[in-house]
Amino acid sequence: MKLSNIMLFKNIKDEDILKILDYVQAKKQIFQKGEFIINAGGSLKKFGIVLKGTAHIINEDFWGERSIITDVKEGDIFGEVYAVMYPRVCEVSAVASDETEVILIDAQKIMNFKFSCDLHSVFMKNIVEMLAEKNLVLTQKIRHMSKKRIRDKLISYFSSESIKNNSVDFYIPFNRQQLADFLSVDRSAMSKELCRMRDEGLIKFRKNHFHLEKNM
């Protein structure tokens, strides 16, 4: 992904982007599917930007039960809250869901940004916009999770994805187990509900592609 297309570097010249990356000691790394990019339980000095691939931000309880908090795709940042609050212990992990290329950035360097006022202003504005976008995503998930029934959670999530894609046809970034983890429901029960919704003419689906019917 071209760096200038990432929201963090919006309206910043290519030469200034390179200056910023050098100043914040950015490091590019590639992680394979299933590999941990961030591990819960330690302190985090650097946050990441996804250049290629996707990752899931997950939480695991004491007994190993996993839930997906959100997914991060090309252009998204992750881990920034804990990196800024270093040495606070990180309570979540980031796992590559396929081959994922990221840039890791020293958050403390960001906090002590020393370039021109104009460049600093644009860069910080971009950071605030990205944080606002992430807050919106988490707010949407809370709305899905607030539903009591599995069907209502699915309807809430599918409706949100349809609006985001401006279409009744869309792909979701999860397989069945990941979707169940995201909505914190039992996979078997969710799969049965999806089949019931399909049989009732509410949805059509194949793998992670979904189509919503008008009578939903």
Side-chain angles (χ1 to χ4, degrees):
M1 184 176 193
K2 191 175 180 181
L3 291 173
S4 58
N5 291 333
I6 296 173
M7 186 183 293
L8 185 62
F9 301 118
K10 186 176 66 176
N11 298 323
I12 297 178
K13 297 178 181 177
D14 288 345
E15 57 267 30
D16 287 330
I17 293 175
L18 294 177
K19 288 179 183 178
I20 293 171
L21 292 177
D22 181 63
Y23 177 77
V24 299
Q25 300 178 348
K27 181 181 179 182
K28 186 183 295 185
Q29 285 187 240
I30 295 177
F31 297 86
Q32 300 305 314
K33 181 178 180 179
E35 190 174 358
F36 279 75
I37 305 171
I38 292 174
N39 283 286
S43 296
L44 194 64
K45 286 187 175 181
K46 296 183 178 181
F47 69 90
I49 305 173
V50 179
L51 295 180
K52 178 184 177 182
T54 56
H56 292 146
I57 307 303
I58 67 169
N59 179 68
E60 290 184 290
D61 64 26
F62 181 80
W63 295 273
E65 288 294 320
R66 175 181 292 190
S67 62
I68 296 177
I69 299 173
T70 187
D71 66 304
V72 285
K73 53 190 180 300
E74 292 182 4
D76 290 343
I77 62 175
F78 61 94
E80 72 287 347
V81 173
Y82 289 104
V84 168
M85 299 179 70
Y86 177 85
R88 179 170 180 149
V89 174
C90 185
E91 300 175 15
V92 298
S93 298
V95 182
S97 57
D98 48 27
E99 184 176 276
T100 304
E101 183 177 357
V102 304
I103 292 180
L104 298 175
I105 292 178
D106 189 319
Q108 300 308 309
K109 290 286 186 180
I110 293 287
M111 302 299 289
N112 296 294
F113 198 83
K114 293 181 179 179
F115 288 105
S116 69
C117 290
D118 288 343
L119 180 55
H120 180 270
S121 177
V122 173
F123 190 61
M124 297 308 293
K125 180 176 181 292
N126 291 344
I127 290 177
V128 171
E129 287 183 1
M130 293 193 79
L131 291 176
E133 177 69 23
K134 292 190 72 174
N135 183 65
L136 178 60
V137 170
L138 292 175
T139 300
Q140 289 172 338
K141 180 175 182 179
I142 291 172
R143 187 171 69 248
H144 308 327
M145 297 293 295
S146 68
K147 309 297 183 182
K148 294 182 178 181
R149 299 190 307 163
I150 293 177
R151 174 173 294 207
D152 292 336
K153 291 183 179 184
L154 289 167
I155 288 175
S156 178
Y157 175 66
F158 292 152
S159 296
S160 178
E161 289 298 298
S162 176
I163 292 172
K164 184 169 67 176
N165 289 278
N166 193 31
S167 173
V168 294
D169 287 283
F170 52 86
Y171 288 86
I172 66 172
F174 306 123
N175 60 31
R176 292 293 180 271
Q177 183 60 60
Q178 291 165 347
L179 179 59
D181 290 342
F182 179 72
L183 296 175
S184 292
V185 298
D186 178 75
R187 175 184 174 177
S188 178
M190 183 195 73
S191 294
K192 290 178 181 177
E193 191 59 53
L194 284 171
C195 290
R196 279 193 287 265
M197 292 172 69
R198 179 195 59 197
D199 295 343
E200 292 173 20
L202 300 179
I203 60 174
K204 294 178 182 177
F205 59 84
R206 185 175 184 275
K207 295 185 178 180
N208 66 333
H209 175 262
F210 286 82
H211 172 83
L212 307 187
E213 298 292 331
K214 288 185 178 180
N215 62 338
M216 183 173 181

